[in-house]
Amino acid sequence: MTIRVLLADDQTLLRSAFRVLVDSEPDMEVVGEAADGAQAVALARSERADVVLMDIRMPGTDGLAATRLISADPDLSHVRIVMLTTFEVDEYVVQSLRAGASGFLGKGAEPDELLNAIRIAAAGEALLSPAATKGLIATFLAQGGTAEADGRDAGERSQRLSALTVREREVLVLVAGGHSNDQIAERLRVSPLTVKTHVNRAMAKLGARDRAQLVVTAYESGLVRPRAE
């Protein structure tokens, strides 16, 4: 099945480079280009995109606002968003994940990284690039990244975890540690399918779109605390 990709970036030259790269792959195609967030939302609807490569900083409706709009639309629940940013250590990164993005990637990523990111996102998995892993999120939150952008204090966020079983909390901690399902399964001595079930249940109970949001929730709630460097 061909992955339908939408490019959203205000730099025409960059979009053109991405188009050539994406269209060179047999399993994906560019179905539209947007110069701002409003166009991205409209094209996501009209072109039935599977994955949106979304620049964070764009004029007018920026990538963060566009991500919120797409994530809030039930008709676009299948759309996965990979945020593109020049600066990976940046307050918008966590806000993007919170808004519903599946992950983020630096604009300086290698071509293979970008193509792999599209495939990972299209498969419904969360993407945290090698240069922007859970350590980045941990560092950001340790520096005050839990500012009340979502209107909840730490106590209220922590209360959200009360619906999780002991095993689901244990799995959530390991997810936040950057472990894959296979690694978690080996550590807990269960099958990968069992781990996937626990992850899916945790996502449903916490209202998270994917693993990326689970990582943010784990840190925001205080279940996992950033390590001091």
Side-chain angles (χ1 to χ4, degrees), residues 122-204:
E125 298 295 330
L127 173 81
L128 299 179
S129 76
T133 60
K134 42 77 177 173
L136 170 66
I137 296 175
T139 300
F140 175 80
L141 294 174
Q143 294 173 347
T146 54
E148 315 309 322
D150 56 4
R152 293 188 293 267
D153 60 24
E156 190 173 346
R157 285 192 297 269
S158 181
Q159 190 174 12
R160 297 167 63 197
L161 299 180
S162 62
L164 300 183
T165 65
V166 173
R167 179 61 91 181
E168 286 164 357
R169 284 183 181 231
E170 190 174 9
V171 169
L172 177 56
V173 169
L174 293 172
V175 168
H179 300 287
S180 68
N181 284 358
D182 287 343
Q183 291 171 330
I184 295 173
E186 183 177 355
R187 179 171 295 203
L188 299 182
R189 299 182 183 279
V190 298
S191 72
L193 181 59
T194 297
V195 173
K196 184 176 181 179
T197 298
H198 287 310
V199 170
N200 288 341
R201 286 177 178 169
M203 285 168 52

Side-chain angles (χ1 to χ4, degrees), residues 36-122:
D36 59 45
Q39 289 182 350
V41 175
L43 287 173
R45 292 194 182 105
S46 64
E47 302 303 324
R48 306 302 295 172
D50 298 310
V51 176
V52 180
L53 294 182
M54 183 86 76
D55 186 20
I56 289 184
R57 295 183 177 88
M58 291 185 287
T61 302
D62 63 15
L64 185 59
T67 297
R68 288 199 185 102
L69 290 170
I70 291 173
S71 299
D73 189 335
D75 292 335
L76 299 177
S77 60
H78 68 286
V79 179
R80 294 293 177 259
I81 301 170
V82 176
M83 306 300 294
L84 298 174
T85 176
T86 304
F87 306 102
E88 294 195 10
V89 181
D90 159 322
E91 66 175 295
Y92 292 118
V93 166
V94 174
Q95 290 183 37
S96 298
L97 297 177
R98 208 184 264 139
S102 294
F104 49 92
L105 199 65
K107 288 187 177 181
E110 295 295 324
D112 285 348
E113 272 190 281
L114 181 66
L115 296 172
N116 189 46
I118 293 172
R119 294 187 177 101
I120 290 173

